[in-house]
Amino acid sequence: MVNCVVRNWQGEEVGETTLELRVAKEENASHIVHRALTRQLNNARQGNACTKTRSEVRGGGRKPWRQKGTGRARAGSIRSPLWRGGGVIFGPKPRDFEVKMNKKERRLALRTAFQSRTEDIIVVEEFAEQFQRPKSKELLSAIARWGIEPDTKVLLILPEPQPNVYLSGRNIELVNVILATSLNVYDVLAADKIIVTSTAIAKIQEIYGE
């Protein structure tokens, strides 16, 4: 169990909350998180790169010149891989990069990754009412008040869709806004700092706690 300080909109400490997630054993933690990360990255690949072999390239049915007597190298087709415009040897073909991983392992890896970032987690009170309309400048000011440097990659976790907060963060290059229900290993590990609302952290424990 880890105690986290809760900050308000002005950046003042107003209380504490606890984060308690069941994580992997220390000797297995890095391995299972690595597996979950590589799975996520592999499953995001489209796998639709495709090249044509010599049998798929248009043309080349006629022998370019006779076999002997020309002084040139033997050639049977203008679509040989050795020729410009010819087929490709061992080129990529559409394939499925999907990697399977048990649901219990995926959830354990996510809990382990999130709990490992406790030193970089900043818990804040709900602030959706501060945004009557999208305003990136106000969100940037709040992030600075919460003690985060300007050139820091930030992951902002919300408990539910909040359009004005999302639109405010979408414009900021180093801010990634996601929902607690969309938590994933890559985003958790890629961010330098994680901002999570008190409601969102309760939701994370409710969804991923077991």
Side-chain angles (χ1 to χ4, degrees), residues 76-147:
S77 170
I78 63 171
R79 293 307 178 223
S80 163
L82 306 180
W83 285 51
R84 181 178 177 275
V88 178
I89 307 173
F90 302 131
K93 285 291 184 182
R95 55 173 291 194
D96 184 9
F97 287 94
E98 184 182 3
V99 175
K100 295 187 182 297
M101 190 175 182
N102 293 336
K103 183 178 179 180
K104 285 185 177 180
E105 287 183 302
R106 296 200 307 266
R107 292 170 70 88
L108 179 61
L110 181 56
R111 291 195 300 267
T112 304
F114 191 75
Q115 185 94 357
S116 71
R117 301 301 309 274
T118 48
E119 292 183 1
D120 302 313
I121 293 176
I122 298 170
V123 184
V124 297
E125 290 183 328
E126 290 298 326
F127 56 88
E129 69 279 357
Q130 303 290 338
F131 291 87
Q132 302 304 320
R133 61 190 180 90
K135 194 71 175 175
S136 301
K137 189 175 180 181
E138 290 182 13
L139 184 58
L140 272 174
S141 300
I143 289 173
R145 289 196 297 272
W146 292 328

Side-chain angles (χ1 to χ4, degrees), residues 141-206:
S141 300
I143 289 173
R145 289 196 297 272
W146 292 328
I148 298 176
E149 297 295 326
D151 297 329
T152 304
K153 290 174 69 175
V154 176
L155 176 65
L156 175 58
I157 305 174
L158 304 177
E160 58 192 14
Q162 297 170 357
N164 288 340
V165 178
Y166 170 74
L167 292 173
S168 300
R170 185 180 65 175
N171 261 352
I172 307 172
E173 183 181 3
L174 295 177
V175 174
N176 181 20
V177 184
I178 65 170
L179 298 179
T181 52
S182 303
L183 205 61
N184 61 86
V185 173
Y186 178 81
D187 285 339
V188 167
L189 296 179
D192 297 322
K193 293 288 183 181
I194 299 173
I195 300 173
V196 56
T197 66
S198 51
T199 309
I201 205 164
K203 197 163 191 174
I204 289 170
Q205 293 189 102
E206 177 188 345

